[in-house]
Amino acid sequence: MLAHKASEEGIVCVERMIGQHSVVEYDYIPGVCYTWPEAASRRQTEEQLKESEIVYNTGRFNFSALERARCMDETDGFVKIWLMLKRTGPGVHIIGPAGL
């Protein structure tokens, strides 16, 4: 179910075979649950950030505001993103129909 993860691991395996120093950056590979609607996430949850006392800002975008979602009559869902101020890279949760 995580073809994107397996693909990256395969690339790293071949790079190591030819002598390159290569690693899989698991923090950058999103986790996906292939259900309907689909769910995906990257990095810590908001609860984990609070427990770790990591400073962050958050924002949310509902699919109902997305023209494509309205055209497909698939407006249930959202994207929630947070930017960690002490670390680099955003965290994100996405719940909604695939392909949007």
Side-chain angles (χ1 to χ4, degrees):
M1 288 179 43
L2 293 176
H4 55 284
K5 175 185 163 291
S7 176
E8 182 63 19
E9 290 172 333
I11 291 167
V12 167
C13 179
V14 172
E15 288 174 345
R16 287 183 176 182
M17 284 183 205
I18 62 172
Q20 293 181 11
H21 176 73
S22 186
V23 296
V24 178
E25 299 282 350
Y26 288 104
D27 281 347
Y28 296 98
I29 298 175
V32 181
C33 184
Y34 294 101
T35 60
W36 189 260
E38 289 188 3
S41 65
R42 178 178 173 264
R43 296 217 181 250
Q44 301 96 329
T45 64
E46 192 168 2
E47 291 77 20
Q48 290 170 325
L49 293 174
K50 287 177 183 176
E51 287 175 8
S52 300
E53 298 181 358
I54 295 173
V55 178
Y56 66 96
N57 290 328
T58 186
R60 182 178 169 127
F61 179 83
N62 292 318
F63 281 0
S64 60
L66 188 62
E67 290 293 327
R68 182 171 178 170
R70 290 201 306 259
C71 288
M72 295 172 60
D73 198 26
E74 295 287 351
T75 57
D76 292 335
F78 65 91
V79 176
K80 184 173 183 181
I81 189 166
W82 44 92
L83 299 174
M84 292 170 276
L85 304 179
K86 290 184 180 178
R87 298 183 186 178
T88 60
V92 66
H93 285 310
I94 303 171
I95 299 174
L100 288 180

